[in-house]
Amino acid sequence: MKITVVGTGYVGLVSGACFAQMGNNVFCVDTNEEKIRSLSKGEIPIYEPGLEDLVKEHLNSGELRFTTDLAEALPGSEIVFIAVGTPMGADGSADLQYVRAVAEQIGSIMSNDLIIVDKSTVPVGTAGQVYDIIRQALDRRAAEGDAKAGACWFDVVSNPEFLKEGTAVSDFLRPDRIVIGANSEIARKRMENLYAPFMMRENKVLCMDVPSAEMTKYAANAMLANRISFMNEIALLCEKVGANASSVRMGIGTDSRIGLSFLFPGCGYGGSCFPKDVRALLRTMKENGINPHLLEAVEKVNDDQKNILWRKAVRRFGEDLSGRTFAVWGLAFKPNTDDMREAPSVITIRELVRRGATVRAFDPEAMDQARSFYLKDLDKIEYFSNKYDPLNDADALVLITEWSVFRSPDFNEIRSRLKAPIIFDGRNQFERFELPKMGFEYYPIGIPGSNFED
């Protein structure tokens, strides 16, 4: 099958490479000429395990191609995916200007029957907007005498993505489920045929109406964000009353009705999906006259939780951190990605520096992102090429991202390099080592003894 994917961001690039892996001929389109030149040489702009090898393999086979020209890619395609960005607007809503622009361009170019798929995360009703834009463009062309425009059939499908950064390739190739929102039997069957190679062991395709498919993406991310914020709020209480949040997690998570996923106490969620999607859903609910009490609380808890580590440091060392140095392990919002969007590290580091501290940071993949964008305005931050050098004469170690390289460190090495053996653990990575028995001051999240009296 010939497929066109418009947008070579995180979703578009992963989708295009994985569709090529299943034998499809895929054109990926983007307006960024420099990016397309790099991708055409197999140079990947993001860190995602397995993606670079997949892109290079199918570039070499000719099954994956990149272009800036939609008119080059579209002819003969059976399905075109819209996978452009939907950034958060000033009011919290999803900005659909790029989706609309692609729809207009498709309507101006298409010359054969086509299924258009919303792969970007978009609010309920977007598929209808895309349909109307394309219909109007085709009608204009037909009125001007373009016979091909008048003969074109098309439909718009919602096919939300559920990729996790760091495991996106495996998620796409071995999905939990495929959600397809389609209005026509033709579109539904075509989409089922496209995904059939991913379902060789078990059919996990869920077909539904278009609005339900659009809502499913937002509801899924809001539910996961809800679980994280719930566990973080419980962890705050655990610190106060002497309960262990990790034990509580196991106690509730082993209930088959609840489960253990997304119940880890920590320093808050970040990334490109949860914060943006929760805010977009909040906006949609308000526009429809619903008071989103629960989601507003989810967002507020998370905003507060991103401040927990620097507040613990202030309670330990005082408000004035002048002359203090903190070693930071982890900058990305989660492991196995270089993505720092909405990362707790940004708030933690900025608040430490604002109080006079110097920060020494290490992350396996995200330091270039920090240097070039997220923390580029900070003078009192240094970056190191390995995890131990930032510890030299630092007042404490602050762990923010749970990379595997941090999971079993040499604590004798840590102790020998720090001024004093103090660790602030934003992901409870080291709880199992019983660090207080090893002479460390250990401040995790939601564990007895980690709280300070104001």
Side-chain angles (χ1 to χ4, degrees):
M1 191 179 295
K2 184 182 177 185
I3 298 169
T4 294
V5 179
V6 185
T8 59
Y10 187 83
V11 173
L13 187 55
V14 172
S15 299
C18 290
F19 282 133
Q21 175 72 1
M22 292 302 172
N24 297 289
N25 292 312
V26 182
F27 253 116
C28 288
V29 183
D30 201 291
T31 57
N32 187 324
E33 294 183 1
E34 182 179 351
K35 188 177 186 181
I36 289 298
R37 280 195 297 270
S38 296
L39 287 169
S40 297
K41 294 185 288 186
E43 299 172 359
I44 307 302
I46 58 174
Y47 176 76
E48 180 62 39
L51 182 59
E52 183 174 357
D53 290 341
L54 208 58
V55 169
K56 287 180 177 178
E57 176 186 348
H58 295 292
L59 274 173
N60 292 334
S61 70
E63 292 164 322
L64 181 62
R65 287 173 284 179
F66 296 95
T67 182
T68 58
D69 186 2
L70 183 59
E72 176 188 2
L74 209 55
S77 290
E78 298 179 54
I79 301 175
V80 56
F81 287 85
I82 300 177
V84 295
T86 53
M88 184 173 59
D91 62 356
S93 62
D95 184 347
L96 299 179
Q97 62 173 309
Y98 304 111
V99 173
R100 296 189 186 104
V102 172
E104 177 66 36
Q105 195 175 10
I106 290 171
S108 300
I109 294 172
M110 63 180 288
S111 57
N112 55 268
D113 293 349
L114 195 61
I115 294 170
I116 297 94
V117 182
D118 281 338
K119 197 68 172 171
S120 303
T121 300
V122 293
V124 175
T126 301
Q129 294 182 38
V130 169
Y131 185 94
D132 290 343
I133 291 169
I134 296 173
R135 180 75 271 162
Q136 291 165 14
L138 287 172
D139 289 347
R140 285 195 303 270
R141 289 170 55 193
E144 294 168 358
D146 187 337
K148 289 183 178 180
C152 285
W153 173 91
F154 75 98
D155 203 356
V156 180
V157 169
S158 175
N159 175 218
E161 54 84 18
F162 300 100
L163 306 178
K164 301 184 292 294
E165 291 191 43
T167 60
V169 171
S170 60
D171 287 347
F172 201 105
L173 296 175
R174 292 175 289 278
D176 290 330
R177 79 287 202 197
I178 300 294
V179 172
I180 297 172
N183 293 320
S184 70
E185 188 71 7
I186 294 173
R188 181 187 65 78
K189 287 184 176 179
R190 192 73 55 82
M191 292 296 292
E192 286 183 323
N193 289 338
L194 174 64
Y195 279 110
F198 300 89
M199 303 283 122
M200 298 304 290
R201 295 184 178 180
E202 181 181 0
N203 186 3
K204 298 181 179 179
V205 174
L206 302 176
C207 293
M208 58 188 71
D209 60 89
V210 172
S212 296
E214 291 174 324
M215 178 60 76
T216 295
K217 169 66 174 180
Y218 283 104
N221 280 352
M223 173 60 76
L224 297 175
N226 184 35
R227 288 171 66 91
I228 294 169
S229 285
F230 171 81
M231 196 65 233
N232 281 334
E233 194 159 65
I234 291 295
L236 296 179
L237 181 59
C238 286
E239 289 190 9
K240 296 295 185 182
V241 301
N244 185 312
S246 295
S247 298
V248 173
R249 172 184 178 268
M250 292 300 298
I252 65 175
T254 48
D255 185 324
S256 61
R257 297 168 299 176
I258 298 173
L260 289 163
S261 297
F262 289 85
L263 284 181
F264 289 94
C267 52
Y269 61 76
S272 62
C273 293
F274 287 6
K276 179 171 72 73
D277 291 354
V278 167
R279 289 167 197 161
L281 189 55
L282 279 168
R283 179 70 181 178
T284 300
M285 295 178 78
K286 291 177 180 178
E287 289 174 347
N288 286 275
I290 297 171
N291 291 321
H293 303 298
L294 179 60
L295 286 185
E296 285 180 337
V298 167
E299 184 177 45
K300 186 177 188 308
V301 169
N302 191 62
D303 289 343
D304 288 345
Q305 199 72 10
K306 289 182 180 181
N307 292 287
I308 194 168
L309 287 174
W310 69 261
R311 285 174 176 161
K312 285 178 179 288
V314 164
R315 287 170 186 163
R316 171 60 177 81
F317 293 106
E319 182 70 28
D320 184 2
L321 298 176
S322 299
R324 301 286 184 183
T325 298
F326 293 89
V328 169
W329 280 1
L331 299 170
F333 86 94
K334 63 178 288 188
N336 297 320
T337 181
D338 60 354
D339 195 345
M340 287 184 61
R341 285 174 286 184
E342 303 273 355
S345 64
V346 176
I347 290 176
T348 302
I349 290 170
R350 287 191 176 278
E351 291 296 334
L352 292 174
V353 169
R354 190 167 73 85
R355 287 163 174 77
T358 296
V359 170
R360 296 175 177 169
F362 170 74
D363 186 284
E365 294 293 339
M367 290 194 292
D368 286 344
Q369 292 287 328
R371 286 191 193 98
S372 62
F373 186 71
Y374 292 96
L375 300 172
K376 67 178 182 179
D377 58 312
L378 297 185
D379 294 328
K380 300 181 75 173
I381 182 170
E382 304 171 68
Y383 301 94
F384 291 79
S385 59
N386 69 73
K387 64 184 178 184
Y388 289 117
D389 285 350
L391 304 175
N392 293 336
D393 293 322
D395 291 276
L397 166 62
V398 183
L399 185 141
I400 301 179
T401 313
E402 64 274 35
W403 285 91
S404 58
V405 71
F406 302 141
R407 289 181 184 171
S408 297
D410 184 337
F411 289 105
N412 290 327
E413 184 76 12
I414 292 174
R415 182 191 290 107
S416 69
R417 292 183 180 238
L418 291 173
K419 284 182 181 177
I422 302 172
I423 296 177
F424 297 93
D425 185 351
R427 301 296 176 184
N428 292 0
Q429 281 270 104
F430 305 140
E431 178 192 2
R432 71 184 188 278
F433 293 106
E434 298 184 314
L435 292 185
K437 293 182 179 179
M438 299 169 61
F440 281 86
E441 288 185 44
Y442 179 54
Y443 305 109
I445 309 295
I447 308 297
S450 63
N451 59 302
F452 300 89
E453 295 298 328
D454 291 321

